[in-house]
Amino acid sequence: MDWRDDGIVLSTRKLGENSVRLSVLTRDYGRHAGLVRGATSKSMRGTLEPGNEIRVGWSARLAEHLGQFRCELTGAHAADLLLHAGPLMAMSSACAMLDATLPEREAHPDLYRGTVALMSALKSEQWLPAYIRWEVGLLEELGYGLALDRCAATNETENLAFVSPKSGRAVGEASGQAYRDRMLPLPAFLASGRASQSRKEMSLSEQLRDGLKLTGFFIHRDIFEAKGIKPVAARDRLVSHVWRTDIGAEK
């Protein structure tokens, strides 16, 4: 009952005076929890911030035990984003979403790699499009993938403008006009096929808000409501920030 792996800090919960229960997404062992002793020491203070990359060693007498972690910081992403409110909120949202939705001890190597890539992308000007694409990937990893490459009605890859809330499939502008009030808008930057001209002409701020609405609809319906999971407050804070701010792709 002893292994080592790379991981991303998701959350900590205080246990006793000097210890915490650490939840981490690892490459090979999935979302995993363990006890970290001496977590309040000066040397550990900045290591266990959500979003940081760490090298962890886990050990326990039996596999079903909580076990103990040994941690070494390898990427201090949280400190890099301290002065950037939006990206910091996106990082907190991603970590909280993983902690709330992933089954424990089930490997998701593609999602792990995508999350590592997201932590780097949050330091760029395209941080919010990167985060929204990450949510699309999370939906796919959990079995609720969206098909945004062709029209569900005509099978064409051109002029995509909507997403069906029933199927999660893209719909062309002409095919969806009669039902547009019941459809979800498909932002041009998310279309795997070619978006309609009307979608391309929308401002980036509008597209980003539509992107969060799109992923949020399926996250709330298919994950939170279907599985009885409480909505993630960190994501709600990010959405509120985006709605309050005339946000394009600023850092």
Side-chain angles (χ1 to χ4, degrees):
M1 301 300 105
D2 197 327
W3 51 259
R4 291 181 64 81
D5 201 359
D6 295 314
I8 300 168
V9 176
L10 300 183
S11 68
T12 58
R13 190 176 75 225
K14 193 171 177 61
L15 289 178
E17 190 172 337
N18 299 310
S19 301
V20 298
R21 182 187 186 277
L22 170 67
S23 177
V24 60
L25 175 63
T26 63
R27 182 186 58 224
D28 298 326
Y29 297 90
R31 183 174 70 89
H32 214 288
L35 179 71
V36 180
R37 298 188 185 279
T40 58
S41 67
K42 186 176 180 180
S43 61
M44 289 293 293
R45 199 166 296 160
T47 298
L48 302 182
E49 293 292 330
N52 280 351
E53 288 185 69
I54 56 176
R55 181 70 177 169
V56 295
W58 182 86
S59 58
R61 278 185 58 246
L62 298 173
E64 59 267 24
H65 287 178
L66 176 62
Q68 294 189 39
F69 274 137
R70 305 173 301 282
C71 305
E72 175 187 350
L73 181 66
T74 57
H77 300 299
D80 293 340
L81 297 177
L82 278 178
L83 300 180
H84 306 289
L88 187 62
M89 288 181 184
M91 183 175 68
S92 297
S93 177
C95 292
M97 289 285 291
L98 292 167
D99 208 27
T101 63
L102 288 183
E104 198 168 10
R105 303 189 181 191
E106 182 179 293
H108 292 274
D110 290 341
L111 182 58
Y112 172 80
R113 287 189 289 269
T115 305
V116 170
L118 173 66
M119 296 307 162
S120 296
L122 291 177
K123 301 170 192 177
S124 75
E125 293 183 351
Q126 296 298 314
W127 66 270
L128 189 49
Y131 174 81
I132 296 169
R133 290 189 184 98
W134 177 87
E135 286 197 336
V136 172
L138 177 64
L139 282 163
E140 182 172 357
E141 191 74 18
L142 295 176
Y144 305 102
L146 306 179
L148 307 179
D149 59 337
R150 60 188 63 245
C151 176
T154 66
N155 213 36
E156 294 180 357
T157 59
E158 306 283 330
N159 297 315
L160 303 178
F162 306 102
V163 177
S164 166
K166 290 185 178 180
S167 66
R169 298 179 64 187
V171 178
E173 189 161 42
S175 301
Q177 278 301 323
Y179 311 98
R180 63 178 303 141
D181 292 341
R182 286 176 271 173
M183 294 283 186
L184 297 163
L186 173 61
F189 77 93
L190 280 183
S192 302
R194 185 170 297 178
S196 67
Q197 188 61 34
S198 62
R199 291 295 183 225
K200 293 176 183 178
E201 291 172 354
M202 293 176 68
S203 71
L204 183 56
S205 294
E206 290 177 297
Q207 289 194 47
L208 293 172
R209 291 185 179 114
D210 283 345
L212 284 173
K213 286 179 185 177
L214 176 64
T215 54
F217 174 85
F218 292 101
I219 286 169
H220 278 266
R221 187 192 69 183
D222 296 333
I223 300 176
F224 294 162
E225 294 177 11
K227 299 180 183 298
I229 297 173
K230 185 178 179 180
V232 171
R235 187 183 190 277
D236 291 341
R237 287 192 292 271
L238 172 63
V239 172
S240 295
H241 173 76
V242 173
W243 255 254
R244 289 195 312 267
T245 311
D246 185 16
I247 201 162
E250 76 272 23
K251 193 174 180 182

